[in-house]
């Protein structure tokens, strides 16, 4: 594959509402992000992804855009965004925006025009069906739990929405709508953004079935049927995606990461040499506990063998086709340590181990704000503590299906998206230094000791470990192999032994990890390798790689939750 600039990126994802509040309203903003840029630079990352900052009624925290061209006053002004792009650039950091174009807000001018004017050209910007009997066209369920159809006023007409009713889907069949979207994307590219994280893009093509009057057999007590099979990656989507790529992404050499789960046999179209996107997020291991569940508050049991299987498979398939986007967390996920590590046994060792497991995979790694501190789920006890509409809706639906309060709360404590959205923990000052006012969502009580300030002062901290990982990937002698090198998952030992290899013609790196709370022997001959990273060692000076080096023999025992990253040069480059 031809080399691209974004293959050398490490991305830091920012959830603007929760990153840093500069204007004392309890909500994070763009000036707060600018104030945090030196911290972001200190991590070593070179790209930031901003969750949506466009004008929005915030029913879905910005994923319901009412004006694509204006920054929401909650976050600041258009000039603030331009300032952020400029300030980031002076620190060697590029900015990705979130591109939400499957749907808009029901307060977007297009939707309001459609409602108020029978002859509006925007009428065909949405998906509308009329029924004779006044019932919704069919019984498909939206991702947020309600029907995909909402009635327009007291008419027999209904509009389609994949998510909440305040997020009407756009009609991508309409070329005029598509041109409006491409113009808007070009506008932001012209302002200097480096690309997009592309939201819910697998839904833009609707099947005939999901828009038909076909009543499906219900799969749950709500009388509705799951819509995934008729809504995601439908035949014909290629026309829209390739057009978007040709009209915008190629023109601006954009970095793009799409939120879409793609079957292996279609991956080449998405991320191959002339794919629609630079990379796509893989849900197989981040949703390992919920994949395939249609009931509102059940989780699927999983084990380490399955986790390893998903990670190795995803890496092995993707590397033969294109580029990957390894991540552990985002704003739709709970904190990774709570998902992947045993309850009551989370500590700094296994938090670092988990970080190293994903960070050296092949692809562009994404770090979600606070992950570098080992931030954890919030100890929710009451439904009133949640802000996410998704959590509130799920509570309602689950209660209507007869689920017990205790089970619903347990599910939300583990899985609510609010877990990942609590304010960034900067210090042990009031409200974690995020704001001087009470924040829109409560701060995790562990902020008194888990925060940037304290971890900056501790050579053994999770934060320093993350800095070291970024440094290894972007600046060390191993940067090429860690970026472009091939991946090989070694299937040795038990389920707890995760060992993978990154290699090219000149270097090799092994990531060796004991995913268990007991010591484990391993039998890899490590003579000739140097230790690049060890979660049991301090990182005294990350700018000085020799400080963390040592030599190692052949007999090894990994301590509980230990990870070692070791490397060696395998052939001198000829001059
Ligand atoms: C995916 C986003 O990540 C999520 O936060 C949002 O609710 C949905 N798409 C709808 O835009």
């Amino acid at each position: 594959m031809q080399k691209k600039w974004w293959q050398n990126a490490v991305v830091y994802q920012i959830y603007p509402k929760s990153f840093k509040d500069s204007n004392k309203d309890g909500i994070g903003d763009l000036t707060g992000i600018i104030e945090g840029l030196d911290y972001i630079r200190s991590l070593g990352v070179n790209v930031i992804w901003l969750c949506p900052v466009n004008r929005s009624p915030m029913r879905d925290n910005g994923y319901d855009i009412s004006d694509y061209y204006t920054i929401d006053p909650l976050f600041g002004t258009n000039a603030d965004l331009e300032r952020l792009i400029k300030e980031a650039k002076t620190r060697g950091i590029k900015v990705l925006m979130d591109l939400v174009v499957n749907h808009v807000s029901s307060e977007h001018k297009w939707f309001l025009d459609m409602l108020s004017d029978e002859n509006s050209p925007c009428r065909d910007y949405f998906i509308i069906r009329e029924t004779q009997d006044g019932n919704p066209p069919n019984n498909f369920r939206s991702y947020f739990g309600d029907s995909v159809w909402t009635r327009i006023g007291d008419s027999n007409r209904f509009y389609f929405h994949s998510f909440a009713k305040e997020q009407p889907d756009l009609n991508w069949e309409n070329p005029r709508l598509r041109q409006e979207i491409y113009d808007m994307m070009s506008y932001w590219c012209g302002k200097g953004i480096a690309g997009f994280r592309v939201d819910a893009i697998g839904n833009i093509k609707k099947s005939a079935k999901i828009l038909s009057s076909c009543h499906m057999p219900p799969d749950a007590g709500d009388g509705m049927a799951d819509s995934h099979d008729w809504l995601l990656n439908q035949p014909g989507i290629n026309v829209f995606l390739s057009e978007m790529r040709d009209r915008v992404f190629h023109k601006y050499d954009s970095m793009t990461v799409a939120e879409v789960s793609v079957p292996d046999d279609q991956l080449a179209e998405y991320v191959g040499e002339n794919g629609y996107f630079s990379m796509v997020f893989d849900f197989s291991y981040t949703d390992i506990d919920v994949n395939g569940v249609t009931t509102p508050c059940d989780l699927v049991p999983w084990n380490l063998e399955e986790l390893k299987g998903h990670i190795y498979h995803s890496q092995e398939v993707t590397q033969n086709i294109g580029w990957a986007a390894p991540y552990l967390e985002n704003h739709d996920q709970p904190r990774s340590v709570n998902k992947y590590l045993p309850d009551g046994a989370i500590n700094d060792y296994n938090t670092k181990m988990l970080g190293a497991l994903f960070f050296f995979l092949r692809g562009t790694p994404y770090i979600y704000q606070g992950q570098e501190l080992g931030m954890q789920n919030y100890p929710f006890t009451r439904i009133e503590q949640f802000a996410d509409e998704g959590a509130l809706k799920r509570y309602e639906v689950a209660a209507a299906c007869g689920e017990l309060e205790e089970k619903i709360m347990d599910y939300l404590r583990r899985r609510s998206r609010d877990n990942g959205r609590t304010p960034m923990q900067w210090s042990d000052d009031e409200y974690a230094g995020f704001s001087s006012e009470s924040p829109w969502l409560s701060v995790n009580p562990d902020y008194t000791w888990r925060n940037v300030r304290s971890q900056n002062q501790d050579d053994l901290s999770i934060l320093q470990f993350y800095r070291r990982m970024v440094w290894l990937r972007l600046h060390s002698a191993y940067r090429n192999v860690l970026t472009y090198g091939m991946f090989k998952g070694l299937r040795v030992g038990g389920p707890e032994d995760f060992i993978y290899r990154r290699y090219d013609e000149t270097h090799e790196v092994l990531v060796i990890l004991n995913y268990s709370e007991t010591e484990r022997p391993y039998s890899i001959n490590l003579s000739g390798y140097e230790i690049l990273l060890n979660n049991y060692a301090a990182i005294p000076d990350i700018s000085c790689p020799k400080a963390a080096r040592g030599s190692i023999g052949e007999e090894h025992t990994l301590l509980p939750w230990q990870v070692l990253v070791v490397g060696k040069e395998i052939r001198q480059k000829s001059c």
Side-chain angles (χ1 to χ4, degrees):
M1 197 181 185
Q2 217 193 333
K3 289 190 176 164
K4 303 280 172 38
W5 69 265
W6 33 260
Q7 293 173 328
N8 280 297
V10 175
V11 183
Y12 188 71
Q13 184 194 346
I14 296 181
Y15 198 64
K17 253 186 128 171
S18 302
F19 189 65
K20 200 161 195 318
D21 172 22
S22 75
N23 65 347
K24 305 184 175 35
D25 61 359
I27 297 173
D29 46 52
L30 290 171
T31 303
I33 298 173
I34 295 170
E35 287 170 7
L37 278 177
D38 285 334
Y39 168 71
I40 295 171
R41 182 174 56 176
S42 82
L43 299 173
V45 304
N46 48 17
V47 172
I48 53 178
W49 149 25
L50 297 182
C51 283
V53 288
N54 314 73
R55 190 182 281 272
S56 160
M58 300 287 160
R59 288 305 299 250
D60 190 16
N61 286 338
Y63 284 93
D64 47 331
I65 294 176
S66 56
D67 180 352
Y68 282 115
Y69 288 93
T70 312
I71 297 304
D72 194 279
L74 267 188
F75 298 129
T77 62
N78 286 39
D80 291 335
L81 182 66
E82 290 191 35
R83 196 156 56 90
L84 170 61
I85 295 170
K86 198 168 135 236
E87 290 288 333
K89 189 172 176 191
T90 62
R91 292 165 176 84
I93 298 170
K94 296 179 197 284
V95 179
L96 302 185
M97 282 180 90
D98 220 302
L99 181 69
V100 189
V101 291
N102 173 66
H103 46 270
V104 286
S105 158
S106 51
E107 293 182 27
H108 192 288
K109 182 175 175 309
W110 295 337
F111 194 75
L112 298 177
D113 275 6
M114 182 280 287
L115 290 180
S116 63
D117 177 2
E118 289 228 334
N119 301 315
S120 161
C122 298
R123 261 192 115 73
D124 197 34
Y125 280 17
F126 297 92
I127 302 164
I128 294 168
R129 293 287 180 272
E130 186 156 10
T131 61
Q132 293 305 317
D133 60 5
N135 289 321
N138 54 44
N139 64 334
F140 280 104
R141 185 189 298 114
S142 71
Y143 295 129
F144 285 173
D146 285 323
S147 162
V148 294
W149 298 103
T150 290
R151 185 187 302 277
I152 301 181
D154 52 11
S155 71
N156 279 359
R157 292 185 306 128
F158 295 81
Y159 65 88
F160 183 93
H161 51 93
S162 305
F163 295 90
K165 65 179 190 313
E166 294 83 5
Q167 295 165 297
D169 279 34
L170 290 168
N171 177 17
W172 273 76
E173 304 294 336
N174 181 340
R176 189 169 161 162
L177 175 270
R178 299 206 299 275
Q179 190 56 50
E180 295 243 29
I181 299 287
Y182 305 146
D183 290 347
M184 173 277 287
M185 291 164 65
S186 303
Y187 171 82
W188 287 113
C189 292
K191 293 284 173 199
I193 65 153
F196 302 96
R197 176 269 188 181
V198 192
D199 184 68
I201 199 69
N203 301 291
I204 60 176
K205 177 82 187 180
K206 310 320 182 216
S207 64
K209 182 137 180 167
I210 205 161
L211 303 181
S212 73
S213 55
C214 167
H215 193 88
M216 301 293 285
D219 58 23
D222 58 2
M224 288 189 273
D226 189 68
S227 44
H228 283 82
D229 288 351
W230 313 103
L231 188 52
L232 263 180
N233 307 346
Q234 295 301 308
I237 193 171
N238 56 316
V239 175
F240 306 150
L241 297 181
S242 46
E243 187 178 77
M244 185 189 270
R245 173 198 62 202
D246 297 343
R247 300 256 187 105
V248 189
F249 301 152
H250 274 185
K251 202 164 141 201
Y252 292 95
D253 192 20
S254 305
M255 168 175 174
T256 54
V257 53
E259 187 205 26
V260 56
S261 101
V262 184
D264 290 354
D265 62 356
Q266 289 175 29
L267 202 56
E269 286 171 52
Y270 282 75
V271 301
E273 190 67 52
N274 190 33
Y276 312 130
F277 305 107
S278 316
M279 59 199 98
V280 297
F281 287 125
D282 178 355
F283 299 88
S284 66
Y285 57 96
T286 40
D287 277 348
I288 192 168
D289 56 342
V290 290
N291 266 334
V293 183
T294 53
T295 47
C297 50
D298 288 305
L299 290 168
V300 202
W302 57 272
N303 59 42
L304 290 179
E305 205 51 65
E306 286 160 350
L307 178 64
K308 194 188 296 181
H310 285 307
I311 295 176
Y312 287 9
H313 177 82
S314 163
Q315 285 279 292
E316 284 160 3
V317 169
T318 309
Q319 71 179 345
N320 294 322
I321 292 173
W323 204 244
Y327 70 107
L328 283 179
E329 296 183 12
N330 63 35
H331 62 291
D332 290 335
Q333 293 286 340
R335 291 295 179 176
S336 55
V337 288
N338 298 90
K339 186 195 303 172
Y340 296 112
L341 298 172
D343 286 346
I346 302 170
N347 56 41
D348 282 12
Y349 296 115
N350 50 26
T351 300
K352 292 175 189 171
M353 177 214 70
L354 199 56
L357 168 59
F358 103 98
F359 196 81
F360 298 106
L361 296 174
R362 188 173 189 274
T364 299
Y366 288 71
I367 301 170
Y368 178 62
Q369 67 183 42
Q371 180 185 330
E372 74 281 14
L373 305 175
M375 276 180 66
Q376 299 196 5
N377 285 351
Y378 186 87
F380 292 105
T381 51
R382 290 172 292 112
I383 187 66
E384 295 74 28
Q385 294 168 315
F386 293 91
D388 178 22
E389 288 279 332
L392 302 174
K393 185 78 213 165
R394 190 174 288 269
Y395 182 87
E396 204 184 286
V397 171
C401 293
E403 297 289 6
L404 293 175
E405 165 88 11
E406 209 179 314
K407 178 170 172 189
I408 309 175
M409 283 304 293
D410 187 56
Y411 179 92
L412 292 178
R413 247 191 312 275
R414 288 180 189 279
R415 256 291 164 181
S416 163
R417 309 194 293 182
D418 282 336
N419 281 306
R421 299 176 179 184
T422 60
M424 176 71 178
Q425 295 170 200
W426 293 99
S427 67
D428 58 356
D429 296 342
E430 197 178 18
Y431 307 126
F434 160 75
S435 174
S436 57
E437 301 304 313
S438 173
W440 70 280
L441 189 64
S442 298
V443 175
N444 193 311
D446 70 4
Y447 79 93
T448 51
W449 55 273
R450 184 190 304 284
N451 57 60
V452 172
R453 186 152 70 198
S454 67
Q455 295 203 22
N456 262 336
Q457 291 156 4
D458 176 3
D459 286 343
L460 274 166
S461 68
I462 298 164
L463 175 59
Q464 305 293 27
F465 188 84
Y466 265 80
R467 286 183 171 134
R468 170 82 182 167
M469 292 203 294
V470 178
W471 181 86
L472 278 172
R473 252 200 109 109
L474 294 186
H475 302 293
S476 74
Y478 295 90
R479 63 186 182 279
N480 276 329
V481 65
L482 287 174
T483 304
Y484 305 108
M486 295 301 279
F487 168 94
K488 170 108 185 99
L490 306 189
R491 289 167 170 88
V492 294
E496 311 83 344
D497 305 306
F498 280 66
I499 305 179
Y500 64 82
R501 194 171 156 237
R502 299 291 313 277
Y503 60 98
D504 61 16
E505 286 163 3
T506 58
H507 289 82
E508 181 185 36
V509 170
L510 287 174
V511 178
I512 308 168
L513 211 132
N514 173 8
Y515 204 127
S516 84
E517 58 191 350
T518 53
E519 288 189 4
R520 288 188 68 80
Y522 67 98
S523 55
I524 293 182
N525 180 350
L526 287 185
S527 52
Y529 287 86
E530 60 179 330
I531 298 180
L532 307 175
L533 193 64
N534 174 3
N535 60 344
Y536 274 77
I539 297 165
D541 177 1
I542 59 161
S543 66
C544 171
K546 290 213 163 50
R549 290 181 179 186
S551 61
I552 33 190
E554 288 186 24
E555 297 294 315
H556 313 283
T557 302
L558 282 181
L559 297 168
W561 308 115
Q562 187 168 18
V563 58
L564 284 180
V565 181
V566 300
K568 74 174 177 189
E569 205 170 334
I570 48 181
R571 188 168 61 74
Q572 290 297 328
K573 277 189 189 146
S574 53
C575 24

